[in-house]
Amino acid sequence: MEKLAREQVQALTPYQSARRIGGSGDVWLNANESPFDNTYTVSGQGLNRYSSCQPASLINAYANYAGVDTGQVITTRGADEGIDLLLRAFCEPNQDSVLICPPTYGMYAVSAENQGIATTQVPLTADWQLDMAGIDSALEADASIKLIFVCSPNNPTGNLINRDDIEALLTRTQDRAIVVLDEAYIEFSPEATCADLLARFDNLAILRTLSKAFALAGLRCGFTLASPAIINLMLKVIPPYPVPVPVADIAEQALSEAGLARMKYQVLDLTANRAYLQAGLSMLPGIKVHPGFGNYLLISLDDTDAVFEHLGNAGIIVRRTAVENSLRISIGNRDECEKVLAFIRQQLSE
Ligand SMILES: *Cc1c(COP(=O)(O)O)cnc(C)c1O
C-alpha cells in the first residue's frame, strides 16, 4: 500500500499535534487549550438535512464580532482548514511556493508539503521579528512565492510581530502575493489585531479560530477574514458541507453577547495566570521567560530534556518546540500554573 501512495505522501511527516504525541498525566499544558470546559446544549434536530455551506447567522455573528463585512468572512473546520484552502486556491502543486518565517506554527509547512508546494524559509530575526530585507530578497529571487505566512502572537515564541512591518509587507506584495496573518491568539492581545488593514489591502487574509480563547478546540471551527475576492476563491475549493449543524449552533452561542462576555472574562482570568507564572518562573535562576502575548509562555533553560522528562513523569505535559533549549507552557487554571511552577522550582533546586 505504501508504494501506491503519492510520493509526497510517502515522504511526509505528519504534523506532530499534541494529541498525536500523547503522553499521560493530569495537567495538560501542551496544546494551548483553554482550561475552561464551558457547556452547551444543542437541539439535536434537523439533522436529516445537509447543513448550509456557510450558515448566514454564523457568518453574521463572526463578522459583527470581528468588525468586518459578511462578504469578508468564511468559516472552516478550524483555522487549519483555512490554511489548506488558501494553499489550494493560490498555489499550483509542484510549481508555486510559500514563504514561512520560523520558528513558527508547524502546519503551514506540513499543509504545503502535503499538496506538493515548496516552502521557502526566511527565519525571524534574533528578536523574533520579520527579517524584512531577507523576505524582500526571497521575493526578488523567487517569483513562485504566492503566500507569506506571518503569525502574531507568534506560536511558539509568544511575541507580537511589528504592525509597521506587516503593513510594509502588504504594500510590497500587492498584486504579487497574499499575506496570511495568523491571529489564532489575538483575543489575548486584541489591540494588536490587523483586521482594520483589510479595508486597505485586498491581499491580506487573517486566520481566526474558536479553539483558543473561546475554549472550543474540540468544536473545530475557524474563520478567515479577507477581501471578497479571496473569500470567493476559497469558497470555490471548500468541500460542500464543511460546517456540521451542531457546530454552527454551538459557535453561534459562543459568539452571542453572553458568549463574548464569558470569553472576555476567561481571557482576563488566563492573563492573570500568565502574569503569575511569568513572575514566578522569572525569579528562578537559570530560566529565561520570554514575554508572552497569547495563552502560553516560552521559557529557555539548560537541560530542557531533563526538565521536560521530569515534568512528564509527574503528569505535567508541556511542549518542546523548534526553539533550542526551550519549552512552551500553556496557561491553565491557577492550580495548574501553581503545580508547574512548584515543580520546575523544585527541579532547578536539585
Ligand atoms: C492552534 C493554532 C491554529 C489552529 O487552530 P484550529 O482552529 O484549531 O485549527 C492555527 N494557528 C496557530 C498559530 C495555532 O496555534
Side-chain angles (χ1 to χ4, degrees):
M1 285 306 121
E2 261 296 297
K3 289 196 187 113
L4 284 179
R6 286 166 51 209
E7 263 174 52
Q8 242 129 21
V9 175
Q10 290 182 37
L12 188 73
T13 311
Y15 179 70
Q16 293 298 301
S17 72
R19 275 303 159 276
R20 271 202 192 187
I21 294 170
S24 64
D26 42 28
V27 181
W28 290 89
L29 302 176
N30 67 342
N32 294 346
E33 294 154 331
S34 171
F36 294 104
D37 182 5
N38 306 313
T39 55
Y40 294 88
T41 47
V42 290
S43 87
Q45 290 187 313
L47 296 175
N48 56 321
R49 302 292 177 194
Y50 283 114
S51 56
S52 155
C53 175
Q54 294 288 298
S57 47
L58 177 57
I59 296 295
N60 267 324
Y62 202 84
N64 258 335
Y65 162 65
V68 301
D69 295 337
T70 51
Q72 295 175 299
V73 182
I74 181 174
T75 182
T76 56
R77 286 168 296 181
D80 282 349
E81 190 182 36
I83 296 168
D84 187 70
L85 296 179
L86 285 162
L87 288 161
R88 264 174 220 287
F90 288 97
C91 299
E92 207 71 71
N94 304 313
Q95 184 177 316
D96 289 335
S97 62
V98 299
L99 191 151
I100 63 168
C101 306
T104 192
Y105 185 49
M107 272 304 287
Y108 315 137
V110 170
S111 216
E113 188 184 351
N114 216 324
Q115 297 189 36
I117 296 156
T119 298
T120 298
Q121 302 198 359
V122 179
L124 295 173
T125 58
D127 57 353
W128 291 331
Q129 289 298 323
L130 298 177
D131 172 0
M132 294 301 283
I135 293 175
D136 205 60
S137 337
L139 286 168
E140 197 80 20
D142 185 353
S144 79
I145 296 170
K146 290 290 197 67
L147 303 178
I148 301 170
F149 287 96
V150 176
C151 188
S152 181
N154 187 42
N155 179 4
T157 56
N159 62 292
L160 294 167
I161 302 297
N162 293 334
R163 182 186 164 96
D164 290 350
D165 289 345
I166 294 169
E167 251 189 90
L169 187 58
L170 283 161
T171 304
R172 165 76 174 81
T173 53
Q174 260 175 326
D175 300 321
R176 161 70 167 82
I178 312 291
V179 175
V180 184
L181 180 61
D182 190 336
E183 292 191 345
Y185 299 97
I186 202 64
E187 283 80 11
F188 296 96
S189 299
E191 65 293 338
T193 182
C194 286
D196 57 297
L197 294 179
L198 289 167
R200 285 170 48 210
F201 296 99
D202 58 9
N203 60 327
L204 170 62
I206 299 181
L207 301 170
R208 296 285 191 87
T209 181
L210 299 188
S211 295
K212 308 288 162 54
F214 284 91
L216 285 169
L219 190 67
R220 309 308 303 132
C221 184
F223 300 87
T224 304
L225 312 177
S227 57
I230 293 179
I231 297 296
N232 286 332
L233 286 160
M234 293 174 79
L235 285 172
K236 277 190 165 183
V237 294
I238 199 169
Y241 310 108
V243 189
V245 172
V247 169
D249 189 348
I250 290 170
E252 280 170 44
Q253 294 175 46
L255 292 163
S256 69
E257 207 175 316
L260 291 174
R262 177 168 64 187
M263 179 275 285
K264 285 173 190 163
Y265 174 81
Q266 294 179 345
V267 163
L268 284 176
D269 192 89
L270 292 173
T271 306
N273 289 353
R274 185 183 71 204
Y276 163 84
L277 190 60
Q278 182 146 22
L281 289 169
S282 300
M283 287 192 287
L284 305 179
I287 285 200
K288 179 165 169 46
V289 187
H290 303 280
F293 292 84
N295 64 339
Y296 52 95
L297 286 173
L298 189 75
I299 63 172
S300 295
L301 69 171
D302 295 337
D303 236 355
T304 313
D305 289 342
V307 172
F308 177 81
E309 207 179 299
H310 287 133
L311 280 165
N313 291 339
I316 303 171
I317 319 297
V318 299
R319 191 130 161 90
R320 279 190 239 248
T321 82
V323 181
E324 235 179 286
N325 297 321
S326 79
L327 295 174
R328 193 194 68 191
I329 306 173
S330 306
I331 305 302
N333 60 31
R334 182 57 76 108
D335 182 50
E336 291 169 324
C337 291
E338 282 172 10
K339 273 193 182 136
V340 73
L341 175 59
F343 194 88
I344 293 177
R345 183 187 290 129
Q346 182 204 331
Q347 277 300 302
L348 294 182
S349 66
E350 272 169 16

